[in-house]
């Protein structure tokens, strides 16, 4: 297939590489020349503009920072909607963006006779490189059927979450639950330290008891019990605090627009915002353990 990839950053570049490896012809475009050169080095065609990239594409994949970038690339002058007039390639946006923007874009696409899916991912740069991402897809059943074989070249789990926006909704809910959970595990392990309880003993007990979680058993924020966790490499990411803050902000926006109470989600966002301001933006989000350890009890955010 002819596939256009717009956005060749940390995620888009290795995703494009996996599409090339699967035998697709991939035209890549990015504002940054260095990223375009990396795509060429991987064997991809470098496009000179968005319009050039999508000219003969069967599928257009966008992997951009935020909603305003996706909106500009799709609906701006010389953007995807303009450039594909008269044809109907499948549009897949894998960026993490807000539910309202993706629903608006999908509705505009429909008017233009196009099918646009939201397909945000979980798995980070490691998953993008290994081709083991999880895709959470929102959109029509027909669009999903067209997308699945393409997404399989980049991911191990491809899940149709529901109608347009459902993929972004799943991502926002998942990451909000994860952030709340991670702070809880960090508080528990810090309290254990302060009570003189051995960390490994708490891990042995809690990981087989009712507080067991992925945040504890795969990403334990306290150094020691889980050797492969970021806490044992000075919190090198992994999944950076800045990205978790972005996702918590999107979740709060979604909760406000749906009128849904999220007291802990709101509190988790405040904590991650404070961490990012205080120099932890680039560290793995499990650094909340080390950050909390520096705070006096009465200075909780
Ligand atoms: P990134 O900033 O590394 O890449 C985005 C790329 O888009 C950049 O190279 C930028 O130059 C390019 N770009 C911006 N505007 C453009 C335009 N108008 N035309 C062409 N290119 C343009 O970001 P990333 O880490 O690759 O993340 C991409 C998306 O995936 C984000 O929405 C992010 O939240 C999400 N995500 C990232 C991770 C992760 O671990 N990095 C994990 C899951 C989801």
């Amino acid at each position: 297939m002819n596939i256009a990839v717009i956005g060749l950053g940390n995620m888009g570049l290795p995703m494009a590489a996996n599409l090339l490896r699967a035998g697709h012809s991939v035209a890549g475009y990015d504002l940054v020349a260095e990223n375009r050169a990396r795509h060429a080095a991987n064997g991809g065609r470098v496009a000179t503009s968005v319009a050039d990239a999508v000219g003969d594409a069967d599928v257009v994949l966008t992997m951009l920072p935020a909603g305003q970038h996706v909106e500009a690339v799709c609906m701006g002058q010389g953007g995807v909607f303009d450039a594909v007039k008269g044809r109907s390639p499948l549009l897949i946006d894998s960026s993490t963006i807000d539910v309202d923007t993706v629903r608006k874009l999908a509705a505009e696409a429909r008017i233009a006779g196009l099918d646009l899916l939201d397909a945000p991912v979980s798995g980070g740069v490691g998953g993008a490189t290994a081709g083991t991402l999880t895709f959470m897809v929102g959109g029509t059943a027909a669009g999903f059927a067209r997308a699945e074989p393409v997404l399989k070249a980049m991911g191990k789990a491809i899940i149709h979450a529901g109608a347009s926006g459902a993929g972004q909704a799943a991502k926002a809910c998942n990451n909000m639950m994860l952030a709340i959970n991670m702070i809880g595990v960090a508080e528990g392990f810090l309290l254990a330290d302060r009570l003189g309880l051995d960390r490994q003993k708490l891990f042995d007990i809690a990981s087989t008891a009712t507080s067991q979680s992925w945040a504890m058993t795969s990403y334990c924020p306290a150094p020691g019990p889980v050797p492969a966790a970021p806490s044992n490499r000075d919190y090198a990411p992994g999944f950076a605090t800045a990205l978790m803050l972005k996702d918590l902000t999107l979740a709060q926006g979604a909760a406000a627009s749906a009128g849904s109470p999220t007291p802990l989600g709101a509190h988790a966002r405040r904590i991650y915002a404070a961490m990012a301001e205080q120099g932890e933006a680039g560290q793995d989000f499990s650094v909340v353990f080390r950050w909390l350890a520096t705070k006096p009890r009465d200075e909780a955010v």
Side-chain angles (χ1 to χ4, degrees), residues 6-12 29-32 35 50 63-66 69 73 94-96 121 124-125 171 238-239 243 246-247:
I6 318 285
L8 300 166
N10 292 322
M11 298 291 288
Y29 180 67
D30 195 289
L31 294 177
V32 177
N35 293 348
V50 170
M63 196 53 173
L64 297 161
H69 306 96
V73 162
S94 281
S95 328
T96 304
V121 300
V125 177
K171 171 93 184 170
F239 188 59
L243 286 173
K246 175 194 168 184
D247 291 357

